[in-house]
Amino acid sequence: MLSSLVRRLEQFGPLSEAEQQALRALPLRLRDVAARRDIVPEGDQPKDVSLIVEGFACRYKLLGDGRRRILAFLIPGDICDLQALLLRRMDHGVAALNRNRIATVPHELLLDIIRRHPRIALAVWCDTMRDAATCRQWLANMGRSPAYARIAHLLCEIWSRLQAVGLTNGDAYELPVTQTDIGDAMGLSVVHVNRTLQQLRADGLISFRSNVVMVLDWPRLQAAAEFDPAYLQLNAVPPFFLKSRTRRSAVSQVAAQ
Amino acid sequence: MLSSLVRRLEQFGPLSEAEQQALRALPLRLRDVAARRDIVPEGDQPKDVSLIVEGFACRYKLLGDGRRRILAFLIPGDICDLQALLLRRMDHGVAALNRNRIATVPHELLLDIIRRHPRIALAVWCDTMRDAATCRQWLANMGRSPAYARIAHLLCEIWSRLQAVGLTNGDAYELPVTQTDIGDAMGLSVVHVNRTLQQLRADGLISFRSNVVMVLDWPRLQAAAEFDPAYLQLNAVPPFFLKSRTRRSAVSQVAAQ
DNA sequence: CGTCTAATTGAAGCATCTCAACATGCGTGG
DNA sequence: CCACGCATGTTGAGATGCTTCAATTAGACG
């Protein structure tokens, strides 16, 4: 649980002892959220940051006519409502897709750590940036590529992200979403999602039964999706980590003033 | 130019003397970019951050078949490539729509300021978050709302953002984009953009000639777009600014250790 | 074993696309 | 100042990907 936050942030590079200490000293609170319930409601002004320890979730917006638009899928290790840390109000909601275990940290404490440890601030900031990059990728896929490629791309993305946190089982992974969810996410009707999935199955690219996706033909799936995992920045090592020593001494100098 | 950066960051609340000093001490470099040229190419790894002082630009991705997908429009005051500050590689390009005046700051220096002045870090971080929020709004509009509402929404958004930086002229504003650009942004063909614009004109909602948009009927345009400017966070005052005093002393304490 | 949700199928309709032509405006060079 | 050329805007018509409506089947669960 706690370690998942550390692991998350260390994805970009090792944290110092002091930094790890600070994170481990955080009084994490755990809570469970039932499937299909809100983790963070739309328009909420949470006072804590919520991290998914276990389970799948989605960001969504409700449209005027009552329909729901899914904006992103969240997996273990993802932060739900970082946005509210600085902008206060959530412009969208986050809902659990299956049973979720959520860890929460009060804004106060996180802001404090961020002030004391600039590198942690930058690591968390990175999270916002990767979130934005993923959103842009979805935006690019939307509207311009046909349903077949869109869904293929989604399946590629989720496999890659799950793989990065060790939640794949070879070419297979759990994906607890209905076809309606996929439709809400890709901007397609359920009916069309259904037919497109059948096409993907018929073409031998995937299988998808009882919430388990299995990639049967990676090269062709990736080609159909025009998938390039670069945007996910899964193994990026930002410059400030490479210069950890000098940076830290620079910080010390400032502190010593 | 420099003041535009300060103004930008002060949008969230006043900066201290020391913070303003630090920003004003930045050796800004100015450069001009011709219309239709890249400000930051896709895949680039810039060593500076670019801020638009004057002109309009767009974020874009090139698709496999050579088409271009526009992901966002940028206006004076917007930062083009903040992403590369931490993630290094640009997952998308930024191109000028008309002649642009760009101010650049070396990453090194900006990172240094960020380390010395946590509140500036948070203010810039906010920028990433608003960018992401806008992207999510585009994503929500895409695919689920018809062309008419999508374009109406775009026109509302740009007016609001321009208004916030004082670049509107009453209900009118400059928008140096072609119908092809709008199509690339909204995921529509030029032909359909053309017909939809005609519809908007015929309905008396807008006029749009020679790169000047005039909103003729705000209530109906806003209704057609289901536009709610909240997501733009144009006047958000994040919590950390409200507690500026205590925060700063907290930082000093850490520094004094 | 009934009930509910999710998946599947068929058929008609429509928003939007593509193709193709034509009109308009504007900058440039003669 | 005109004539040309090129980018942009406009229009028509046929094609299609996707939607909506409506009904049926399959699967999960108490």
Side-chain angles (χ1 to χ4, degrees):
Chain A
M1 325 161 228
L2 177 44
S3 61
S4 84
L5 178 58
V6 175
R7 203 186 319 131
R8 172 80 175 180
L9 296 178
E10 288 201 317
Q11 206 174 312
F12 302 106
L15 294 175
S16 74
E17 265 308 312
E19 287 158 346
Q20 289 202 24
Q21 281 302 321
L23 288 175
R24 293 193 193 283
L26 280 177
L28 284 197
R29 196 158 299 172
L30 286 180
R31 66 179 168 126
D32 282 354
V33 177
R36 301 283 149 187
R37 303 304 232 109
D38 271 345
I39 296 172
V40 188
E42 197 170 352
D44 198 21
Q45 303 195 1
K47 293 284 167 279
D48 312 272
V49 163
S50 293
L51 172 89
I52 298 181
V53 175
E54 212 179 307
F56 288 69
C58 66
R59 302 189 188 283
Y60 71 90
K61 286 198 185 212
L62 295 176
L63 274 55
D65 57 3
R67 282 179 311 186
R68 183 187 59 160
R69 193 58 238 273
I70 289 181
L71 307 163
F73 288 111
L74 302 182
I75 66 173
D78 285 337
I79 302 177
C80 299
D81 47 6
L82 200 47
Q83 173 187 214
L85 181 67
L86 301 185
L87 298 184
R88 290 215 264 189
R89 188 177 179 283
M90 288 293 287
D91 68 319
H92 64 278
V94 179
L97 291 167
N98 54 5
R99 180 158 203 79
N100 269 231
R101 169 144 296 180
I102 304 293
T104 61
V105 186
H107 282 181
E108 293 288 328
L109 297 180
L110 189 55
L111 284 171
D112 222 53
I113 283 200
I114 280 174
R115 273 191 208 89
R116 290 179 217 274
H117 303 283
R119 284 171 69 221
I120 291 184
L122 295 178
V124 183
W125 187 353
C126 271
D127 210 85
T128 307
M129 287 186 175
R130 281 188 298 108
D131 230 49
T134 304
C135 187
R136 278 191 294 268
Q137 185 61 51
W138 278 45
L139 192 52
N141 284 144
M142 201 102 324
R144 271 317 199 181
S145 53
Y148 192 84
R150 259 187 262 182
I151 294 180
H153 197 281
L154 176 67
L155 298 177
C156 286
E157 174 188 309
I158 296 187
W159 183 88
S160 296
R161 288 169 55 200
L162 287 175
Q163 217 271 333
V165 293
L167 287 176
T168 50
N169 183 3
D171 294 326
Y173 60 92
E174 189 201 357
L175 185 63
V177 302
T178 66
Q179 295 186 357
T180 303
D181 293 331
I182 296 181
D184 289 345
M186 302 285 94
L188 299 167
S189 67
V190 207
V191 175
H192 202 59
V193 168
N194 183 285
R195 289 182 173 130
T196 307
L197 282 175
Q198 288 180 47
Q199 192 68 49
L200 284 163
R201 283 190 278 245
D203 292 347
L205 301 190
I206 59 154
S207 77
F208 185 12
R209 279 202 327 272
S210 56
N211 290 343
V212 173
V213 176
M214 174 121 51
V215 178
L216 301 176
D217 189 334
W218 252 110
R220 283 204 298 144
L221 184 66
Q222 190 160 353
E226 293 190 49
F227 178 71
D228 173 5
Y231 72 93
L232 293 171
Q233 305 274 166
L234 291 178
N235 43 14
V237 180
F240 57 91
F241 274 115
L242 297 179
K243 309 179 186 169
S244 159
R245 289 290 150 69
T246 45
R247 287 310 169 197
R248 282 190 56 71
S249 62
V251 170
S252 309
Q253 283 165 21
V254 176
Q257 281 175 5
Chain B
M1 325 159 228
L2 178 43
S3 61
S4 83
L5 179 57
V6 175
R7 205 186 318 132
R8 171 81 176 180
L9 296 178
E10 287 202 317
Q11 205 175 313
F12 302 105
L15 293 176
S16 74
E17 265 309 311
E19 287 159 346
Q20 290 201 24
Q21 281 303 321
L23 288 174
R24 293 192 195 285
L26 280 177
L28 283 196
R29 196 158 298 174
L30 287 179
R31 65 178 169 130
D32 283 353
V33 176
R36 302 282 147 186
R37 301 304 231 111
D38 271 346
I39 297 171
V40 188
E42 195 169 352
D44 198 21
Q45 303 195 2
K47 294 285 167 279
D48 313 91
V49 163
S50 293
L51 173 89
I52 298 181
V53 176
E54 213 179 307
F56 288 70
C58 64
R59 301 188 188 284
Y60 71 90
K61 285 197 184 211
L62 294 176
L63 274 56
D65 55 4
R67 283 179 311 186
R68 184 188 57 161
R69 193 59 239 275
I70 290 181
L71 307 163
F73 288 111
L74 302 182
I75 66 173
D78 285 338
I79 302 176
C80 299
D81 48 5
L82 200 46
Q83 174 187 211
L85 181 67
L86 300 185
L87 299 184
R88 289 215 265 188
R89 190 177 178 283
M90 288 292 286
D91 68 319
H92 63 279
V94 179
L97 291 168
N98 53 7
R99 182 159 202 81
N100 269 231
R101 169 144 295 180
I102 305 293
T104 62
V105 187
H107 282 180
E108 291 288 326
L109 297 180
L110 188 55
L111 284 171
D112 222 52
I113 284 198
I114 281 174
R115 271 188 210 92
R116 288 179 219 273
H117 303 283
R119 285 170 70 220
I120 291 183
L122 296 178
V124 182
W125 187 353
C126 270
D127 211 86
T128 306
M129 287 186 175
R130 281 187 300 109
D131 231 49
T134 303
C135 187
R136 278 190 294 268
Q137 184 61 49
W138 278 44
L139 192 51
N141 284 144
M142 201 100 325
R144 270 317 198 182
S145 54
Y148 193 84
R150 258 187 265 181
I151 294 181
H153 196 280
L154 176 68
L155 297 177
C156 287
E157 174 187 309
I158 296 187
W159 183 88
S160 296
R161 289 169 54 200
L162 287 174
Q163 217 272 332
V165 294
L167 287 176
T168 50
N169 183 5
D171 294 326
Y173 60 92
E174 189 202 357
L175 185 62
V177 302
T178 66
Q179 295 186 354
T180 303
D181 293 331
I182 296 180
D184 288 345
M186 302 284 94
L188 299 167
S189 68
V190 206
V191 174
H192 202 60
V193 169
N194 184 284
R195 291 184 172 126
T196 307
L197 282 175
Q198 287 181 49
Q199 192 68 50
L200 284 163
R201 281 190 278 244
D203 292 347
L205 301 190
I206 60 154
S207 77
F208 185 12
R209 279 202 326 271
S210 56
N211 290 343
V212 172
V213 176
M214 175 121 49
V215 179
L216 301 176
D217 189 336
W218 252 109
R220 284 204 297 143
L221 184 66
Q222 191 160 354
E226 294 190 48
F227 178 71
D228 173 5
Y231 72 94
L232 293 170
Q233 305 275 165
L234 291 177
N235 43 14
V237 180
F240 57 91
F241 273 115
L242 298 179
K243 309 178 185 168
S244 159
R245 289 291 149 67
T246 46
R247 287 310 169 197
R248 284 189 55 71
S249 63
V251 170
S252 308
Q253 284 165 21
V254 175
Q257 283 174 3

